């Protein structure tokens, strides 16, 4: 038997400890949504977070937990959303921006991360040139520590506007031919805001070699695989180990002329036709964003319980109808019971 913490209790306490029966069928079984003395970072063996994980979290934290506890259902949903979210539109855009893109075979985790850093090293001078003369489209890896947690992300597009502003733009596809509801757009705004925090701190020289190696758990002396070595040589890079590449990247970032991002944009396209629905500019409110970030990270550090969808809020409740865990969701079931009890009390 395991224990589970769920919201609400008849005694009016903030959380109720439940006993669960693991012998129930997979769909209906209850699972521990949180474990005392073990943070989600520890429980799910996370050394760093992807920015997109924060966006998922802003949708529903219980869903994030289920994603780890029921990975087969998460994989099924990811396959479905890869089709629905217009992966082909992203790919077409990428090929349009980088017609000479090549595939490089990677053999180790160090190879895979090195490839991202090589892309970054290549893009810095291109972006510097773009700042002066033209609009350029690039996918740009961003990484660094925010509030004690290491983050990784990949920016869809960075370019210089005609007026010389450095613009970060994220492409989103929609099944409906309309701009998203605020509840849907919340994660998108969070995503571009966190990208800006990471990018700005990178170009301001905040990235540290030891942090990068420590949080990503990478071996600095690991030599690249032969394919990656040839690719790096063709680009004129002398590095043959991950540590050497990190050193090179830090020098590039230290001496680059890139400025912080001026403008954050979201571009919405219709997923089946690819037609532009509209653009939205996101206001960057750093103090508010950092406060939100601290609250999201409090969940990962185990400083508070995960929060699910507020099923009484009409602006939020619809999320559960789209959720693959709806049938088995302990949070939702518990909240529904509470609402029913409250409703029957009022009726008396
Ligand atoms: Fe979150 Fe609702 Fe899904 Fe439960 S059913 S995980 S509350 S979205």
């Amino acid at each position: 038997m395991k224990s589970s913490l769920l919201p609400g209790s008849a005694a009016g306490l903030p959380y109720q400890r439940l006993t669960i029966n693991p012998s129930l069928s997979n769909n209906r079984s209850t699972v521990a949504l949180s474990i005392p003395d073990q943070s989600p970072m520890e429980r799910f063996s996370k050394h760093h977070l992807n920015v997109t994980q924060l966006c998922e979290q802003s949708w529903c934290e219980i869903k994030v937990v289920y994603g780890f506890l029921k990975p087969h259902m998460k994989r099924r949903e990811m396959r479905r959303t890869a089709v629905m979210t217009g992966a082909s539109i992203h790919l077409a855009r990428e090929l349009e921006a980088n017609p000479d893109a090549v595939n490089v075979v990677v053999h180790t985790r160090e190879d895979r991360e090195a490839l991202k850093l090589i892309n970054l090293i290549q893009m810095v001078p291109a972006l510097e040139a773009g700042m002066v003369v033209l609009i350029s489209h690039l996918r740009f890896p961003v990484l660094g520590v925010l509030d004690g947690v290491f983050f990784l992300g990949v920016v869809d597009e960075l370019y210089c506007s005609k007026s010389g502003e450095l613009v970060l733009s994220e492409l989103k596809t929609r099944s409906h031919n309309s701009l998203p509801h605020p509840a849907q757009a919340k994660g998108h705004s969070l995503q571009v805001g966190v990208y800006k925090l990471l990018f700005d701190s990178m170009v301001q020289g905040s990235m540290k070699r030891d942090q990068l190696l420590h949080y990503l758990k990478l071996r600095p002396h690991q030599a690249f695989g032969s394919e990656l070595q040839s690719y790096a040589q063709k680009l004129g890079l002398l590095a043959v180990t991950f540590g050497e590449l990190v050193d090179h990247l830090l020098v590039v970032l230290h001496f680059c002329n890139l400025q912080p991002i001026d403008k954050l944009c979201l571009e919405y396209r219709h997923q089946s036709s690819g037609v532009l629905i509209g653009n939205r500019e996101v206001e960057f409110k750093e103090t508010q964003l950092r406060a939100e970030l601290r609250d999201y990270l409090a969940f990962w550090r185990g400083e508070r319980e995960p929060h699910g969808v507020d099923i009484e809020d009409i602006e939020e409740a619809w999320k559960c109808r789209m959720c693959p865990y709806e049938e088995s969701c302990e949070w939702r079931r518990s909240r529904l019971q509470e609402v029913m009890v409250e409703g029957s009390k009022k009726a008396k």
Side-chain angles (χ1 to χ4, degrees):
M1 303 288 269
K2 300 176 188 171
S3 66
S4 169
L5 291 174
L6 289 177
S9 78
L13 296 170
Y15 292 97
Q16 177 183 13
R17 188 179 294 276
L18 291 190
T19 305
I20 62 158
N21 183 353
S23 66
L24 293 172
S25 74
N26 195 35
N27 255 1
R28 302 296 297 172
S29 66
T30 50
V31 284
L33 293 175
S34 63
I35 293 181
D37 304 324
Q38 196 180 29
S39 72
M41 288 295 268
E42 293 162 341
R43 184 183 183 193
F44 304 126
S45 305
K46 300 292 296 173
H47 303 295
H48 68 271
L49 295 177
N50 289 320
V51 178
T52 47
Q53 258 161 336
L54 273 188
C55 306
E56 288 171 19
Q57 184 183 356
S58 74
W59 186 262
C60 173
E61 290 176 347
I62 301 292
K63 191 175 176 206
V64 170
V65 174
Y66 279 130
F68 287 106
L69 298 175
K70 304 185 178 202
H72 58 291
M73 291 176 73
K74 167 127 180 149
R75 277 195 295 276
R76 207 181 306 149
E77 194 203 13
M78 282 172 74
R79 278 197 294 274
R80 187 179 61 82
T81 49
V83 177
M84 284 183 53
T85 54
S88 57
I89 296 178
H90 278 85
L91 183 62
R93 176 68 70 85
E94 213 171 319
L95 289 173
E96 179 194 326
N98 305 291
D100 303 325
V102 291
N103 286 325
V104 180
V105 180
V106 293
H107 296 281
T108 61
R109 287 182 61 241
E110 284 77 10
D111 274 7
R112 195 184 60 204
E113 297 307 321
L115 199 50
K116 289 180 197 164
L117 300 190
I118 290 173
N119 283 345
L120 205 162
I121 289 167
Q122 277 187 286
M123 288 172 189
V124 167
L127 197 54
E128 285 175 315
M131 288 182 79
V132 182
V133 285
L134 50 98
I135 293 175
S136 61
H137 287 90
L138 305 164
R139 276 174 71 80
F140 197 99
V142 282
L143 55 164
V145 177
L146 294 175
D147 208 33
V149 174
F150 193 85
F151 280 94
L152 283 175
V154 184
V155 174
D156 269 352
E157 293 182 7
L158 274 172
Y159 60 87
C160 277
S161 68
K162 285 176 183 160
S163 56
E165 289 174 308
L166 183 54
V167 182
L168 184 155
S169 178
E170 191 66 18
L171 171 64
K172 297 289 174 197
T173 52
R174 309 236 329 126
S175 56
H176 298 292
N177 200 0
S178 59
L179 286 170
H181 188 274
Q184 291 171 300
K186 184 179 163 196
H188 304 162
S189 301
L190 174 69
Q191 185 177 2
V192 292
V194 174
Y195 283 162
K196 174 172 163 56
L197 290 178
L198 291 170
F199 179 92
D200 291 358
S201 81
M202 276 169 59
V203 300
Q204 286 160 354
S206 302
M207 191 188 288
K208 303 279 178 291
R209 183 184 202 269
D210 291 349
Q211 281 180 342
L212 210 150
L213 296 171
H214 169 73
Y215 286 108
L216 294 179
K217 302 281 173 234
L218 296 169
R219 298 161 291 179
H221 303 299
Q222 174 68 37
F224 299 150
S226 53
E227 291 88 347
L228 188 59
Q229 272 194 33
S230 321
Y231 178 62
Q233 275 168 10
K234 269 188 211 150
L235 297 173
L237 293 170
L238 299 177
V240 292
T241 66
F242 189 78
E244 288 171 2
L245 187 70
V246 171
D247 291 337
H248 184 76
L249 170 68
L250 293 178
V251 171
V252 168
L253 289 175
H254 183 77
F255 289 104
C256 76
N257 293 320
L258 294 179
Q259 299 298 317
I261 284 158
D262 297 302
K263 199 166 161 182
L264 301 174
C265 289
L266 292 165
E267 177 185 329
Y268 292 98
R269 287 193 174 265
H270 189 235
Q271 72 191 22
S272 53
S273 66
V275 169
L276 179 68
I277 299 171
N279 291 296
R280 269 191 183 156
E281 190 174 333
V282 176
E283 200 182 340
F284 181 68
K285 298 179 184 167
E286 182 167 353
T287 309
Q288 185 182 322
L289 178 64
R290 287 194 185 273
E292 282 173 26
L293 192 58
R294 265 195 302 282
D295 183 53
Y296 286 126
L297 294 180
F299 154 73
W300 287 103
R301 293 189 176 111
E303 293 164 1
R304 64 166 173 80
E305 295 290 326
H307 298 154
V309 165
D310 179 355
I311 61 161
E312 288 186 279
D313 183 349
I314 196 164
E315 306 273 308
E316 294 272 314
W318 55 272
K319 289 180 182 175
C320 297
R321 289 197 298 276
M322 303 168 63
C323 178
Y325 312 107
E326 183 187 11
E327 289 287 299
S328 54
C329 178
E330 293 297 315
W331 168 281
R332 188 165 180 277
R333 197 180 304 161
S334 167
R335 291 289 298 124
L336 282 172
Q337 278 168 3
E338 283 179 5
V339 170
M340 280 165 60
V341 170
E342 281 164 23
S344 62
K345 273 185 195 161
K346 279 182 194 159
K348 280 179 189 169

